[in-house]
Amino acid sequence: MSNKRQITVARGDGIGPEIMDATLKILEYAGAEFEPEFIDIGEKVYLAGQSAGISDEAWESLRRTKVFLKSPITTPQGGGYKSLNVTIRKTLGLYANIRPNISYHPIIKTKHPDVDLVIVRENEEDLYAGIEHQQTPEVVQCLKLITRPGSEKIVRYAFEYAKKNNRKKVTCFTKDNIMKLSDGLFHKVFNEIAQEYPDIETDHWIIDIGIAKIADTPQEFDVIVMPNLYGDIASDVAAQILGSVGVAGSANIGDQCAMFEAIHGSAPDIAGKGIANPSGLLHGAIMMLVHIGQPKVAEKIHNAWLKTLEDGVYTGDIAKGGPSVGTNEFAEAVIARLGQVPTKFEPASYKEKSEGDDVKLEMSPLAKDRANRQIVQELDGVDVFVLNNEITADELGQKLEAIAGPELELAIITNRGVKVYPNGFPETFTTDHWRCRFHLSEGQSQLTNTDIMKLLQRVDEAGIQWIKIENLYKFNGERGYSLGQGQ
Ligand code: NAD
């Protein structure tokens, strides 16, 4: 066995094998020291009956090499296949998705010639926890999970990344005007951690105007950190306005493993034609070389790539109808320019790693302090969700009031979050899914799970079908649940 750094490589689906072959060839000619270990993932594996899209041997390779260069894969539509990308990110704890977005104007045409922004996307939580349920014939839910340790990790990563890369500003995007608890926690953690980096400027935008600003004035941003779903959308907007989805690469970083890829998909519409742009995967590979301690090779490739563009050699997605070359010819053109530097673009420069250069995070203060933490969690009530398509809100309310006590009293009924009892409006549209909120009765001092179980039994006996409950808690006396709209 050689001493070269082993990395796991997946050639993927669609255009994946073409762009991977081109990328590996460039790496080899540039003198990158690595040994690829190929695994099969994706469509072939799904269709062979592995519903996760990855085999045990592939996991074994990933856990051993800890570095993964991955081509895009095709997730078969329907059939309940889980996204393999999400599975890999979460299983290997790749909590940070780093997506640099840079303008290469005027060669890659864009209305925004001066952009150099990095999106740091939380990669494991949020709606991508993938916890979904159908609760009634009319209603499905997807649980949005935002955790304090997860938020602390990604926000700290963004600030450390900014510090190590001489970035001046870190911006946070959330929707905490609406999701006050979940996005509110992310924003709060951002404000807390920002205090530790007084030299870095910070700001916060509500996600909708934030993404609009990326589309309109992206040059105003430097590093932007955000929860998973927003990061997914914002980074595609950023890539698209800069001219081609075929160019940007991305790194998925965890405490132990890392995965590098292009941001685009498997492009089945052009697969097998030999015309795909390998640049997105090549940029992923450049980030990988920096990660495994070969920054000078990364620099050589990046500069040869910039020079290739400067010399007017493009694939079809960039040429946009003008003269273009195929995937292989493009790779050959980059190889021919290894050792050259661009004259119009700023040359790329990656410094040799020194001690402490990796963004290695301290354990979150919360996790560190878990044993000593004094948080009093007090049961304050319960939301009982019921299926009902027979009686009105008033009738349901009166029925529940009659069986609530003595420990509990009915506070409110909402439908899709808005109050319908007491004093609901006839204009409010309702579905078959009702949230009935009970609080501790006046004069009662303590509520227990047994009280809630007794309540559920009475609800059952009254012929009302409850479908789930959510306990309502206070944490150190502070309400840990949102009020109903109109409560
Ligand atoms: P896509 O990114 O594959 O393609 C969108 C458009 O961009 C297509 O017109 C395509 O031809 C073009 N394009 C993409 N990459 C290009 C390249 N390198 N060179 C030239 N043109 C390029 O997105 P899609 O069509 O929505 O998805 C296709 C498949 O890819 C789906 O199965 C999806 O699940 C999968 N996907 C995988 C990943 C991944 O593995 N990381 C990411 C996104 C989508």
Side-chain angles (χ1 to χ4, degrees), residues 392-462:
T392 64
D394 282 348
E395 286 165 343
L396 180 63
Q398 281 148 18
K399 245 178 145 174
L400 289 171
E401 262 171 10
I403 57 166
E407 302 86 2
L408 289 149
E409 57 194 19
L410 180 69
I412 182 177
I413 301 177
T414 67
N415 196 295
R416 296 189 304 168
V418 69
K419 184 176 87 165
V420 292
Y421 180 86
N423 309 321
F425 284 13
E427 290 87 350
T428 307
F429 177 79
T430 57
T431 67
D432 59 2
H433 182 266
W434 308 74
R435 188 254 310 253
C436 310
R437 173 162 289 179
F438 295 86
H439 278 300
L440 197 61
S441 296
E442 285 257 342
Q444 298 282 330
S445 57
Q446 205 195 357
L447 187 64
T448 64
N449 276 340
T450 310
D451 298 329
I452 291 175
M453 286 191 284
K454 285 188 197 151
L455 170 70
L456 292 177
Q457 191 164 359
R458 293 194 295 272
V459 170
D460 221 18
E461 284 162 3

Side-chain angles (χ1 to χ4, degrees), residues 26-138:
I26 296 170
L27 261 60
E28 189 189 323
Y29 275 91
E33 297 268 332
F34 71 98
E35 192 165 353
E37 193 170 291
F38 291 95
I39 59 168
D40 269 336
I41 55 167
E43 204 170 23
K44 224 182 348 182
V45 185
Y46 282 118
L47 299 178
Q50 289 261 14
S51 63
I54 180 165
S55 65
D56 291 346
E57 299 81 63
W59 279 126
E60 192 279 318
S61 169
L62 287 172
R63 295 180 66 200
R64 182 164 33 76
T65 69
K66 303 192 186 310
V67 179
F68 187 21
L69 182 63
K70 175 183 150 294
S71 264
I73 55 156
T74 303
T75 309
Q77 297 276 304
Y81 297 107
K82 280 267 183 195
S83 158
L84 177 57
N85 292 316
V86 177
T87 305
I88 293 174
R89 286 172 199 154
K90 288 170 60 173
T91 309
L92 297 180
L94 310 180
Y95 65 89
N97 183 207
I98 316 303
R99 294 190 175 196
N101 295 278
I102 300 166
S103 317
Y104 298 105
H105 194 75
I107 293 187
I108 302 180
K109 301 245 174 325
T110 164
K111 293 182 197 124
H112 308 287
D114 291 316
V115 176
D116 180 3
L117 75 87
V118 179
I119 292 179
V120 177
R121 164 189 171 196
E122 197 290 318
N123 221 10
E124 297 182 287
E125 307 193 336
D126 193 1
L127 290 157
Y128 289 60
I131 307 175
E132 295 191 293
H133 302 97
Q134 177 159 6
Q135 297 183 331
T136 65
E138 292 179 356

